[in-house]
Amino acid sequence: MMERTDRHYRYFMRQLTQRTLLYTEMVTVPAILHGDRPKLLGFSPAENPLVLQVGGADPASLATCARIAADYDYDEINLNVGCPSSRVQDGAFGACLMAQPERVAAAVAAMRSAVSIPVTVKHRIGIDERDRYTDLVDFVRTVAAAGCQRFSVHARKAWLQGLSPKENRSVPPLRYADVYRLKQDFPDLVIEINGGIVDFAQAQTHLRQVDAVMIGRAAYDNPYLFATADRDFFGATTAVRSRHAVIEALFPYIDDWVSRGTKLNSLTRHLLQLFAGQPGTKVWKRYLSEHAHRPGAGVEVVQAALSQVPVLVTA
Ligand SMILES: Cc1cc2nc3c(=O)[nH]c(=O)nc-3n(C[C@H](O)[C@H](O)[C@H](O)COP(=O)(O)O)c2cc1C
């Protein structure tokens, strides 16, 4: 998610779950080809398994980006065919590509021929008037024929005109049944459902119908949700970390980045929701918001904030 799932957020999430597949923000082709590559693409090995999501439409340039991603050791490259923002539409990629399945197929084929890591697609169930189930089937069949084996499907259509990206995440109704049906019609494909899923009980319900669940906003607004992910979905027997232990585990990381010139609040902004719904959440957020942006602020600010949050002991 843009402005959300940067490397610091992902490193934080890895303190909660080792096995959940994490995604980068969408990075556009021109940014990858001409931008500050280490800054845009660099990550810590602790973040694997990690997917680089790219935004673009030109098969040859996407193939070059895929090669770069593989060299960086991403586990997968994912093409964004779901973003409806006007900036993305101006670039003729994102959700508007749902109207051009052949072009997406050509992009997938080009990327696949460039790398051995999986090439996957994230998309909507439809756009504008092109929102019948048969349109969705046509899209998936065409793109699968080019070798895409996993589809992350945001279970609502997007309106390319008239709705903001934010509205396009809430106004069009969720149509989970279309995604379930997709799995029935393409049993050999890996179908991942996305949209409106806020807890693991819901995720388990979806997993009776599809292969995987992608959680977006709830992973940011309630990160501690993922504390039991390895146990609940991957059979891990490791102990579930407390919120305090998660933050303590981050101290060396925070200290390291701040000592290399990173502003503390660009690290701590991702931590604000860790105590969501818990006693102490207000003081945690307030302390960090008031202190983390100050010049010279370092890990001691996080330590001080944490010391104000009550430790909950559960029997
Ligand atoms: C702030 C924000 C940024 C997002 N950025 C991206 C993005 O870069 N790529 C993408 O495929 N989807 C992006 N999305 C959409 C989410 O991945 C997801 O499809 C959508 O929010 C619905 O799932 P949810 O209800 O679990 O959040 C973004 C969503 C939000 C709220």
Side-chain angles (χ1 to χ4, degrees):
M1 289 182 287
M2 306 292 292
E3 309 287 325
R4 301 281 189 281
T5 62
D6 66 14
R7 61 181 300 168
H8 303 310
Y9 169 78
R10 299 185 312 250
Y11 191 90
F12 160 52
M13 288 306 282
R14 278 287 172 249
Q15 310 311 310
L16 290 158
T17 171
Q18 305 276 302
R19 310 283 286 276
T20 306
L21 187 62
L22 299 179
Y23 286 69
T24 64
E25 305 166 270
M26 177 181 71
V27 190
T28 64
V29 165
I32 295 174
L33 297 183
H34 312 298
D36 180 348
R37 224 174 265 171
K39 189 161 184 237
L40 287 164
L41 299 184
F43 66 91
S44 149
E47 293 166 48
N48 294 97
L50 181 61
V51 182
L52 174 67
Q53 190 188 59
V54 292
D58 173 56
S61 325
L62 282 165
T64 306
C65 291
R67 221 171 286 121
I68 293 167
D71 287 346
Y72 265 85
D73 211 22
Y74 284 94
D75 296 283
E76 179 177 317
I77 183 150
N78 177 268
L79 181 65
N80 184 322
V81 187
C83 180
S85 83
S86 48
R87 188 180 63 87
V88 162
Q89 283 186 57
D90 289 346
F93 60 98
C96 62
L97 285 177
M98 287 212 71
Q100 300 179 67
E102 296 291 352
R103 189 166 177 87
V104 177
V108 165
M111 288 192 281
R112 283 195 76 235
S113 63
V115 294
S116 55
I117 55 174
V119 174
T120 62
V121 173
K122 177 165 182 272
H123 59 101
R124 298 279 185 145
I125 53 172
I127 48 165
D128 297 337
E129 309 304 334
R130 197 185 171 94
D131 69 343
R132 293 166 309 169
Y133 179 70
T134 50
D135 297 321
L136 178 61
V137 166
D138 179 47
F139 177 83
V140 169
R141 182 181 291 124
T142 306
V143 177
C148 177
Q149 310 245 33
R150 188 157 67 80
F151 292 79
S152 301
V153 194
H154 184 174
R156 47 166 74 86
K157 67 179 284 185
W159 288 104
L160 297 184
Q161 306 294 332
L163 290 188
S164 69
K166 192 171 179 197
E167 289 167 329
N168 261 316
R169 291 191 288 265
S170 58
V171 173
L174 286 160
R175 286 172 18 200
Y176 293 137
D178 285 22
V179 187
Y180 297 166
R181 195 170 159 199
L182 208 53
K183 178 62 195 175
Q184 282 163 15
D185 290 342
F186 297 93
D188 296 336
L189 296 178
V190 178
I191 302 294
E192 177 170 287
I193 197 166
N194 166 245
I197 300 159
V198 297
D199 62 40
F200 285 178
Q202 293 178 357
Q204 297 284 14
T205 304
H206 289 297
L207 286 172
R208 290 201 276 272
Q209 309 278 350
V210 293
D211 303 293
V213 169
M214 172 190 272
I215 297 182
R217 286 165 290 190
Y220 200 83
D221 298 340
N222 181 19
Y224 199 70
L225 180 63
F226 281 82
T228 60
D230 293 358
R231 193 189 69 191
D232 293 353
F233 299 105
F234 300 101
T237 50
T238 40
V240 173
R241 265 185 174 165
S242 71
R243 292 172 176 83
H244 277 72
V246 166
I247 296 299
E248 283 160 7
L250 284 174
F251 288 164
Y253 180 88
I254 294 170
D255 201 27
D256 183 37
W257 278 90
V258 171
S259 70
R260 289 190 280 138
T262 299
K263 287 210 176 80
L264 181 66
N265 65 345
S266 63
L267 301 161
T268 54
R269 70 191 190 93
H270 300 302
L271 314 178
L272 296 176
Q273 289 295 111
L274 181 62
F275 294 94
Q278 298 293 306
T281 184
K282 268 196 186 146
V283 69
W284 168 250
K285 286 200 272 193
R286 192 184 329 116
Y287 195 93
L288 288 177
S289 306
E290 282 173 8
H291 295 83
H293 66 277
R294 294 187 181 171
V299 69
E300 69 287 346
V301 168
V302 187
Q303 289 163 336
L306 191 63
S307 71
Q308 301 192 24
V309 181
V311 178
L312 290 186
V313 181
T314 47

